[in-house]
Structure formats: structure tokens, C-alpha cells
Amino acid sequence: MKAVPEIFIPVIMIYFVGMALIGWYSYKKTDTMKEFLTMGGTAGALVGGFAYLSTQYSMSTFMGVPGWTWAYGYGIVGMTGTVIFSIWVPAFFVGFRLNRLGKKLNIFSVGDYFGDRYESNFARILVAVITIVFLLPTMGAQTIGAGAIWNVFTDQPEWVGVALMAGIVTLYCLTGGIRGAILTDVVQASMMLLTTLIFLFALILNEPGLTGANAAIAEKKVDFMSFPGTKGIMTYGWLFSQLFLWNFFTIGHPQLVTKFLAIKNTRTILRAAIIGGFGMLFAAIFMETLGGTSTPYFPEGIEPKRLDFVVPTILSILLPASVASLCMAGIVAAGMSTIDSQLVMVAGAVSRDIYQKGMSHEKAEQKTLRLARYATLVFGFCTFLIGVLKPATIFGLILFTWGGLGMITIPLLLGLRWKRATKQGAIASLIAGTVYHALAAKWSALAFGFHPGVPALVVTLIVIVIVSLLTPPPSEAVLKRHYQKI
Amino acid sequence: MSEKEEWYPKKFGDWFYLPKLDSFNVRWFLIFLVLYIIPFLPTKYTFPWKEYVPWFFGFPSFICMNIFLGLVGGILFTIFYYQVIKRGFIEEEGDLDEKEGER
């Protein structure tokens, strides 16, 4: 394909400037840690739903998974109908309760919740460390996508695209905190949905069309059209793992769970779940499916290492340069909207969870806010480095880190729902789950045919139950604070 | 619950802080559970093992089924939302407060 920098660069720059302006607007309203981390708990249904959508859906949905479909077949779409409940499931298990507790107890982050519920600064810091360790590669994965797009559309080195994306996100998170992240998310989610729609019409209107493309695929490789796919990967265990990863592991993902702290109230969460759910269904099902459908439009194929390039390449072939550039801005938006919330989370983990609460600097509000901004800058730079070094493909990185962050799920869920869960149980569970996840990622026999995170989640459950029952119950003050009707 | 009440539960079930198991909650739980189970059913329309069953535009049946299930799920969830609003709470009394000051 031919690079079109003269069209692509102005389009992407207009988009970047727009995001930076939103960051600047948010800066004026962000003067406390509560504002920086939860937007003061004022987000409405549309903002909350779109912010959740755009945080959960990333470069992985728009580049990584379509690349996988392209390589391994349609089976990956096998449970996508259930994404309609992607917000509702975490909302039901933890969101409603966390929303109300957050407002009552001044909880701004998942680490905050662990510190208060388990009366343990160690638990708070442990969650903060897990957040940082697993969110950083996820953020890096997004910038890899930006590098790929930049390279395809300008013929310039990938690191330039990585640097631009990391730089702009860092800038608006640095200034506007989660308000900047959430407000840009709304614009970005709209662009993501528009990109999905354009991709769909591009395939319908160009030869051979959807029916022709599917007929051509079925003729050449019929395995593509069913389970377990062309390489035999997509088995029951695999599909079940995907369902768990995208619907249940998200219960413990700090960047998603904290959206419930930012939303106004429980009624608004329900509305956000409907709005965001339909958006997620639309984006996931079409982007992921059409990645596979585009195979016959692109007969020369693509190297396995460059699977992430499938969508940018096919769009650049099928669409006029200006429209393709707009779509690319939409895909870059998917990545930026994921990084921004994560960046605020890791900055919050260092400043709020480790410094302010973990090291007892309760009153140093302005100093903590400054630290949060410095941390944003440092982690933004780390994101750039990961994007340049490219340790794995986008989807590969996302699968590993999503599983790791999922280890927070059970201690969080049981903390909210089981009064007997203790500090020792939560800490042991977090450590055991994370260690098991790492081991199962290295030795697949320990995963029993599932994603490593699935058996690791079972380990966290067993450990927290056994250790909690063997240790003294939580204090009366905790039970009173956390389990009375609010 | 008043401050003087005992906070350590006496019965096993009281250690759990869960939504009430009334008919409304059980009904909706089962409906949504069914929607989660359907994609895993080993039929040619849901989990076609090495069998291509073309539907709309030649897409395999399970993709069309996923779109259908997603839309049905969304519509059911919208109905659920209106029923919850009518009921006034989702988990417990006062759970759908509109104004922060009411908490």
C-alpha cells in the first residue's frame, strides 16, 4: 500500500489537538485527589457508559483481535454476544455496592478499598503494585498499535507514532486526571463506533462483498468458518477462558472498577450499562468478525509477526485516504482511551495508595496531587518505552495482563460480599493467585487447557476462604462500616 | 441496623452480604444465565465443531446467533432496568437514590 502522510498527518494532528484541549479544560476543574481519581463521583450515564466502553475496548479490539480472526478463524467471535453484559456483570457483583461505599467512606481507588476493608496498608500497597506491574504492559500494547498505524500511513518509523500517542495521553492525564480521561473517552468511544460502521460499509461496498468474501474463505479453508479454527486453538476451554476474561475478570480491573466510583449513583450505573453494553456489542462483534472477512480483499497475505497491521492495511486499501485516516484516528482513539484511565490508575496507585495512605501522608493533599502528576509523566514515558521495545503482539500482551489483573477479582468480591474475609486471607490470595498465574503462563500443564488466569482465579478463591476461616474475623468496626445498609 | 446491634453474625448465611433471593432476582438471574450458556451448547448454530453452517451473507451460523443473543440480551436488560426502576431498588432498600444528599 501507498503511504499518504500529507492527508494522514493533518487528520491525526487535529484529533490530538482536540484531546489536548479537553485535557486543558479538565485541568481547571482538577484540584484535589478525589477529582483526579474519581471526577468527584459526578459522571452521568452516557459519560459513564462510553468511558467504560472505551476503557475496556482498546487497540486489542480494533487491531489485535481482528488480526487473530484473520489468522485463526471466526471462532474467536464465539462468545461475543455476551459482551452486552460486560458492564452489568461487574456492576452487579461489585459496582453498585462500591459506588455507595465509595461516597460514604471516601474511597477513590481499589487500593483504597482494600486498605479500608481489610484494615491493612500492606494489602493496599500490594494491590497498588499488582496494578502497576500489570497495567504498564497493557498501556505499552496500545502504543504498539499506534506505531503500526503511523508506519503504515506515513512510511515513517513506528517509534514516532508511539511517541506521539504516549505524549498526548500523558499530557491530558497529567493535567486533567480522570476527568480528562473520561471526557476524552466520550469523544473517543464515538470515533470507535464510527470506525466500526465505516469498516462494515467498506467491506459491503467493495468487491467481493461480504457474501463473496465468505464464499471465497469457505472454499479455500473451511476450518476458518467453525471451531476450533485453522490452528485448532479455539476449543471449549479457550472459549470459556475468553468469556471469563472479558466478563468476569474485569470485576477486579482497577481501571474499570473505578468507573463505578466516578458514576453519580446506582441508577446511573444501570443506564450506563445499557448504553455501554450496546456500544460494546456493536464494536466487538463487527470489528472482530470483519478482521476475518477481510482475508479475500487482501490476497497477498501478511506475515504472522505483522498481524496487528491487518485492519490499518485493509482500510488503507479499501477507503479513500481521508476516510481511512479518520478511521485510523478512531483506532488510535481506542488505544488512547484505554491508556488514559490506566495511566491515572497507576499514578493513583503510587500517589494515593502508596504515598498518601500507605506511608501516612494523609494531610499532604496538594503534595500527593503533584506526585500523581509526576507519576503520570514517568509512567507515560515507560509506556513509550514498551511501545518501542514491542515485547509481544498487542493481543498477546493484553491476554497476559488481563489475567494478572483478574487476581484482584476474588479478594475484592469477597471483601464486599463475605463478612468473614480477612486481611490475611486477602493478602495470601493475591500473592498465591499472582504466583500461580505466572507459573501457569510458563508451564501450560498448570493451566489445564484454560487461560492461566482461570485456574489462578480458582486458587485465589480457595486460598482466601481457607486462610480467612483459619484467622480471626475482621473487627467490629469494619463490619459496621462496610456492611450496614447505606 | 442500629449501632447497638451485634455485628458478628450468628448464622452461617448471615456472613454473606447478598441480594435477597426473591422471585424477581431469581427469575432475572436464570434468564441471564441461560443467555450465557447458549453460546456453549454443542449445536451447529452455537458451537459448530468443524462444520460450516452458512447464514446471512455467508457468515457462520454461530456469529449470527451471537448477534441475535446480544440483541436479545440488551432488550431483556432494558426491560430489567425498567422493572428495577419501578421496584425502586436493585439490592436493598434505598439503592437507587438519585440525589447524593439522600444517602
Side-chain angles (χ1 to χ4, degrees):
Chain A
M1 65 153 291
K2 188 176 166 288
V4 279
E6 66 283 2
I7 296 170
F8 177 73
I9 292 176
V11 170
I12 206 85
M13 285 304 164
I14 290 170
Y15 163 68
F16 281 160
V17 169
M19 297 302 103
L21 286 175
I22 293 175
W24 181 250
Y25 164 77
S26 307
Y27 174 65
K28 290 189 272 183
K29 292 178 177 283
T30 305
D31 52 3
T32 62
M33 280 308 286
K34 187 176 182 182
E35 276 294 333
F36 190 86
L37 293 176
T38 68
M39 204 175 149
T42 57
L46 183 72
V47 171
F50 271 28
Y52 200 101
L53 180 165
S54 57
T55 302
Q56 179 160 346
Y57 282 9
S58 60
M59 285 284 188
S60 176
T61 314
F62 284 76
M63 290 175 71
V65 185
W68 260 59
T69 319
W70 197 90
Y72 305 119
Y74 279 134
I76 196 165
V77 195
M79 58 100 229
T80 312
T82 61
V83 301
I84 191 83
F85 299 122
S86 291
I87 306 180
W88 185 80
V89 169
F92 177 77
F93 282 106
V94 301
F96 299 126
R97 189 75 196 150
L98 207 55
N99 177 273
R100 295 166 64 75
L101 278 175
K103 289 183 169 60
K104 181 189 164 203
L105 303 175
N106 260 340
I107 290 169
F108 303 161
S109 66
V110 178
D112 250 9
Y113 174 76
F114 272 75
D116 198 81
R117 165 62 181 82
Y118 292 115
E119 292 181 303
S120 162
N121 267 340
F122 184 72
R124 181 198 303 273
I125 292 171
L126 190 58
V127 168
V129 170
I130 291 174
T131 303
I132 295 165
V133 167
F134 284 104
L135 278 185
L136 264 179
T138 321
M139 297 190 310
Q142 311 306 318
T143 56
I144 292 173
I149 290 173
W150 186 265
N151 176 257
V152 168
F153 277 78
T154 66
D155 245 356
Q156 290 173 16
E158 290 176 36
W159 71 264
V160 180
V162 173
L164 274 169
M165 186 194 209
I168 295 292
V169 175
T170 305
L171 183 70
Y172 71 69
C173 289
L174 184 80
T175 50
I178 199 72
R179 184 182 290 275
I182 285 182
L183 293 183
T184 50
D185 281 357
V186 176
V187 179
Q188 288 159 340
S190 311
M191 290 174 68
M192 288 153 67
L193 296 176
L194 181 68
T195 298
T196 309
L197 197 65
I198 293 174
F199 191 21
L200 174 64
F201 277 100
L203 295 190
I204 290 173
L205 297 175
N206 282 284
E207 284 297 323
L210 297 179
T211 311
N214 282 321
I217 298 169
E219 196 186 320
K220 277 191 179 170
K221 38 182 182 180
V222 74
D223 288 353
F224 194 96
M225 314 301 270
S226 62
F227 293 95
T230 53
K231 307 273 188 217
I233 296 172
M234 293 173 285
T235 58
Y236 256 117
W238 188 90
L239 194 67
F240 186 75
S241 301
Q242 295 302 312
L243 178 80
F244 249 75
L245 278 173
W246 309 121
N247 281 259
F248 294 96
F249 275 49
T250 50
I251 291 171
H253 281 208
Q255 78 278 18
L256 295 172
V257 170
T258 44
K259 294 285 184 291
F260 296 124
L261 296 170
I263 293 176
K264 250 191 293 189
N265 53 37
T266 44
R267 186 193 292 257
T268 311
I269 291 178
L270 276 169
R271 284 198 212 111
I274 297 174
I275 296 167
F278 274 111
M280 286 165 120
L281 176 71
F282 176 73
I285 215 145
F286 285 112
M287 283 309 294
E288 293 172 6
T289 304
L290 298 178
T293 317
S294 62
T295 313
Y297 293 83
F298 188 24
E300 63 268 36
I302 200 160
E303 298 168 46
K305 272 186 181 175
R306 291 173 68 87
L307 281 181
D308 294 337
F309 285 64
V310 166
V311 173
T313 309
I314 196 74
L315 287 176
S316 70
I317 292 170
L318 298 182
L319 295 169
S322 53
V323 184
S325 300
L326 184 68
C327 288
M328 287 309 104
I331 294 177
V332 170
M336 286 172 78
S337 59
T338 299
I339 296 180
D340 56 19
S341 295
Q342 295 173 342
L343 198 53
V344 174
M345 277 312 103
V346 290
V350 169
S351 56
R352 168 82 176 175
D353 298 332
I354 297 178
Y355 175 76
Q356 190 178 28
K357 292 282 189 172
M359 295 162 72
S360 301
H361 293 100
E362 295 280 350
K363 290 180 181 167
E365 179 75 10
Q366 285 308 311
K367 201 172 172 186
T368 309
L369 185 60
R370 271 202 305 280
L371 180 64
R373 290 193 160 125
Y374 292 139
T376 307
L377 199 60
V378 172
F379 287 121
F381 184 69
C382 294
T383 302
F384 162 72
L385 285 183
I386 296 170
V388 172
L389 295 173
K390 280 207 290 187
T393 62
I394 297 175
F395 194 40
L397 273 174
I398 297 285
L399 277 182
F400 177 73
T401 55
W402 274 57
L405 283 171
M407 297 308 105
I408 299 173
T409 301
I410 294 292
L412 174 67
L413 180 62
L414 265 58
L416 285 162
R417 302 294 180 187
W418 189 39
K419 299 172 191 175
R420 191 65 180 76
T422 65
K423 165 176 76 177
Q424 295 87 343
I427 292 170
S429 152
L430 282 169
I431 294 172
T434 309
V435 169
Y436 194 93
H437 179 258
L439 292 176
K442 189 160 175 57
W443 292 291
S444 58
L446 291 173
F448 305 105
F450 295 99
H451 180 280
V454 177
L457 196 79
V458 177
V459 169
T460 61
L461 179 63
I462 293 169
V463 170
I464 193 171
V465 170
I466 292 175
V467 177
S468 293
L469 290 175
L470 292 175
T471 46
S475 71
E476 195 170 342
V478 164
L479 296 184
K480 206 165 156 181
R481 234 182 10 253
H482 283 261
Y483 298 104
Q484 63 180 324
K485 283 182 181 173
I486 306 167
Chain B
M1 203 177 268
S2 79
E3 283 189 19
K4 287 179 183 172
E5 269 181 282
E6 175 60 65
W7 282 92
Y8 288 105
K10 301 279 187 298
K11 287 187 286 182
F12 174 76
D14 292 343
W15 280 102
F16 297 94
Y17 193 91
L18 299 169
K20 261 191 281 183
L21 278 179
D22 56 17
S23 61
F24 178 86
N25 282 333
V26 171
R27 183 173 66 241
W28 280 107
F29 174 76
L30 291 176
I31 289 171
F32 291 135
L33 187 66
V34 166
L35 290 176
Y36 269 102
I37 291 171
I38 290 174
F40 289 91
L41 295 176
T43 75
K44 63 181 185 178
Y45 300 110
T46 49
F47 196 86
W49 192 258
K50 296 187 175 179
E51 185 185 4
Y52 169 42
V53 185
W55 266 20
F56 300 109
F57 298 105
F59 283 110
S61 54
F62 69 92
I63 291 182
C64 305
M65 183 61 94
N66 263 277
I67 296 175
F68 175 71
L69 282 175
L71 291 174
V72 167
I75 292 165
L76 285 171
F77 185 68
T78 310
I79 296 170
F80 169 77
Y81 166 74
Y82 282 109
Q83 290 194 0
V84 166
I85 295 295
K86 202 171 158 191
R87 198 182 188 216
F89 61 95
I90 184 151
E91 283 194 352
E92 58 197 87
E93 203 175 332
D95 216 16
L96 282 173
D97 289 345
E98 274 285 86
K99 296 173 192 166
E100 201 173 336
E102 289 176 8
R103 284 193 188 92

